[in-house]
Amino acid sequence: MNGQPYVTAFTDRYGVGPEGQINDFISRRGDRLLLADQIDLNAMVARYGAPLEVAYCPQITLQIERMLAWADDARMRSGYVGGFIYAYATKANFAEEVVRTAIGAGAHYETSAAADVTIAHRLWQQGVLPSDRYIFCNGSKDDAYLAAISALRRAGFARVVPVIDDLDELETLLAMCREPLLLGVRERHAPADVDADHPGGERFGLTPDEIEQVVERLRHTPHRLVMYHAMVGSQIEDADRWNMRLARSAEAYARLRQQAPSLMLFNFGGGMPTSAYSLDFRFDYVGFLERLMRTLASTCAAHNVPQPTLVGEFGRYTVASHNVFIMEVGRVKRGQGDAPDWVLINGSLMVSLPDSLIVPGQEFIILPLDGWDRPVRPVRLAGRLTCDSDDFFPRPGAPPLLLPDPYPGQKIAFFGVGAYQQMIAGRGGAHHCLTPEMRRIIIERDEDALVVREVAPQNLGQIMALLGYACETLELPVHQPVRAPVERRVVREPLRLLRSARRRNMPRGAPPPRYGSAARHM
Ligand SMILES: *Cc1c(COP(=O)(O)O)cnc(C)c1O
């Protein structure tokens, strides 16, 4: 490896060329890294500087459209007659533009908390969330959560489906809500099925015996049990094991359907994996869905019950890939002995990528924006903006991160950060060592134009105010000048511009794409 250029090591390691498509949402053309083959990240950082967050919402639409097309494909191949429902699990990313984009692409809605239902209620009143979408309400529900569900139902939204997590919850809900409800039950993992690395899922749901009690309790009421929820886990890349687990749930569904003829939805929950975390990722989405449909079809036939509509709740699959962080190397500190160098970046890994610490073995796709001809080196990234000895990546025991020989000013892109990271970090909050949130560029599609919105980075005054100091105008002495907090621009004909740029094989150092200046009100 010694002396080998990064570009060669990259090609050898991943079996993809340095030019062209790298995975399904990252490409490299003419020495530039592109997100969704549309957004030139080198140009973005040349224009806006680093650290920088780029959120490209059309990628969310693409993810949803792809999954719906794969489901159609799987239905054709398997001859499955039940429908397919795509729900966005909003807890992966609650940002307004993210939720609005997912709904705009046809997604139904999955909630995890009282506030989440209240947001959905507002979106419905505003006409953003149509009445024909389902709202599936999961998790253990305290009175506030049940009251939010009941308020939504009483306001006339009929397709809200609380998924019962314990029997008391059901009693409280039925006491609160007279209107006929659609209800779901969540299957509780049997002890033998609990994944020792992720034991937390065991607390959710009802045992088979409790599910029978729900059926009995609903028997002479106006409420209907419509959904069976069989969530297995998250980012499940072993399709065989997942299908085997779901085959048992299909069996349970079919038996329950014999007692509860109102049942019509089989929900396999979250778990659909995203390609966003590793360039080694492979998953046969159509194959997985086709097998699940075949299993459901044969199980239902054996029990003489109709094929249910399949429901998936897609969190990380929907949003992980739409968002990128770009950070800049400030200092390189030589490693001692054989240890890799410390590459100190102008941000914090533990703040911006909290799952790097929380989830054992969590990976992220980390690529250099430039310097691909430089010799490859194993490095350790550390957050320069905290003085926390845990603020580094990769974590102990993980394979080394390879980058071009690092130098101050080098730009590094962190892909696949659109799911959970900002929610867990507490977007907009006061962070570890007062690390400010980076400048955020939000790109949305509006018919054939891309609308670009810029949100200024946090300044020290805002952070101090969050912490209770009466000094909202305080600023760091040397920092980027604070810009207008929100700017909106319309990029004129960005698709054509990028296409022609690509034909020219955009030279190194080419100017960033030009933006029109017309302001636009949304
Ligand atoms: C979190 C969650 C999801 C989303 O999971 P992903 O693995 O991110 O897709 C779906 N359903 C339920 C009930 C959840 O709790």
Side-chain angles (χ1 to χ4, degrees), residues 89 91 110 138 186 229 231 234 270-271 313-316 420:
K91 78 171 185 292
E110 191 262 342
N138 283 300
R186 176 148 175 193
H229 193 295
M231 175 140 166
S234 196
E313 297 164 343
F314 302 82
R316 55 180 89 239
Y420 299 112

Side-chain angles (χ1 to χ4, degrees), residues 87-92 110-112 136-139 163 186 204 229 231 233-236 242 267-274 277 312-319 419-420:
Y88 172 46
T90 51
K91 78 171 185 292
E110 191 262 342
T111 72
S112 54
F136 303 114
C137 306
N138 283 300
V163 180
R186 176 148 175 193
F204 296 107
H229 193 295
M231 175 140 166
S234 196
Q235 187 69 15
I236 309 174
W242 194 8
N267 188 331
F268 62 84
M272 191 60 81
T274 167
Y277 302 135
E313 297 164 343
F314 302 82
R316 55 180 89 239
Y317 168 85
T318 311
V319 292
Y420 299 112

Side-chain angles (χ1 to χ4, degrees), residues 85 108-109 124 129-137 149 152-153 156-162 180-183 224 226-227 264-265:
I85 286 179
H108 298 247
Y109 203 105
W124 171 55
L129 181 67
S131 299
D132 65 355
R133 303 290 167 85
Y134 282 104
I135 301 178
F136 303 114
C137 306
I149 292 168
L152 177 59
R153 178 65 192 89
F157 190 95
R159 288 196 151 192
V160 59
V161 184
L181 282 164
L182 306 179
L183 294 157
R224 289 193 297 147
V226 295
M227 190 169 80
M264 57 170 186
L265 305 172

Side-chain angles (χ1 to χ4, degrees), residues 72-85:
D72 274 347
D73 228 18
R75 286 173 70 200
M76 273 201 332
R77 291 196 204 175
S78 61
Y80 195 71
V81 296
F84 181 85
I85 286 179

Side-chain angles (χ1 to χ4, degrees), residues 96-299:
E96 188 275 336
E97 67 276 2
V98 166
V99 174
R100 177 165 40 78
T101 302
I103 293 170
H108 298 247
Y109 203 105
E110 191 262 342
T111 72
S112 54
D116 205 352
V117 177
T118 306
I119 292 173
H121 196 148
R122 263 280 284 284
L123 292 173
W124 171 55
Q125 285 172 329
Q126 293 168 341
V128 176
L129 181 67
S131 299
D132 65 355
R133 303 290 167 85
Y134 282 104
I135 301 178
F136 303 114
C137 306
N138 283 300
S140 180
K141 297 167 204 70
D142 60 10
D143 286 355
Y145 196 171
L146 294 170
I149 292 168
S150 174
L152 177 59
R153 178 65 192 89
R154 279 183 283 128
F157 190 95
R159 288 196 151 192
V160 59
V161 184
V163 180
I164 300 304
D165 200 59
D166 66 62
L167 297 173
D168 290 344
E169 189 172 278
L170 178 63
E171 287 312 321
T172 312
L173 184 60
L174 296 191
M176 275 182 187
C177 190
R178 294 277 132 101
E179 280 75 4
L181 282 164
L182 306 179
L183 294 157
V185 281
R186 176 148 175 193
E187 172 188 291
R188 188 162 184 188
H189 293 185
D193 285 334
V194 176
D195 175 355
D197 290 335
H198 300 278
E202 199 273 329
R203 72 182 164 107
F204 296 107
L206 304 171
T207 62
D209 179 53
E210 288 169 327
I211 290 175
E212 303 248 328
Q213 293 180 50
V214 171
V215 173
E216 281 314 308
R217 176 67 183 82
L218 295 179
R219 211 173 277 286
H220 301 291
T221 71
H223 311 297
R224 289 193 297 147
L225 180 63
V226 295
M227 190 169 80
Y228 188 82
H229 193 295
M231 175 140 166
V232 169
S234 196
Q235 187 69 15
I236 309 174
E237 299 186 25
D238 183 342
D240 286 348
R241 275 186 59 189
W242 194 8
N243 266 305
M244 269 154 50
R245 280 288 302 278
L246 288 174
R248 294 209 296 273
S249 302
E251 185 76 29
Y253 169 87
R255 280 199 306 266
L256 191 65
R257 173 65 179 73
Q258 292 176 327
Q259 300 172 48
S262 55
L263 261 189
M264 57 170 186
L265 305 172
F266 180 89
N267 188 331
F268 62 84
M272 191 60 81
T274 167
S275 61
Y277 302 135
S278 165
L279 294 181
D280 294 319
F281 177 81
R282 302 281 176 278
F283 190 82
D284 178 3
Y285 293 98
V286 179
F288 165 77
L289 290 174
E290 182 187 343
R291 199 166 142 197
L292 177 56
M293 287 172 181
R294 286 187 189 282
T295 303
L296 276 166
S298 61
T299 309

Side-chain angles (χ1 to χ4, degrees), residues 425-477:
R427 176 171 147 174
H431 300 289
H432 195 23
C433 295
L434 307 186
T435 301
E437 297 207 347
M438 49 192 116
R439 188 180 306 284
R440 173 178 297 135
I441 307 296
I442 301 166
I443 305 171
E444 295 185 76
R445 186 179 297 288
D446 184 0
E447 300 192 351
D448 60 350
L450 290 181
V451 180
V452 179
R453 193 155 38 114
E454 178 182 346
V455 181
Q458 263 183 332
N459 65 48
L460 182 56
Q462 292 164 334
I463 299 170
M464 299 307 278
L466 287 169
L467 295 171
Y469 294 87
C471 53
E472 297 186 34
T473 55
L474 188 64
E475 286 180 23
L476 288 176

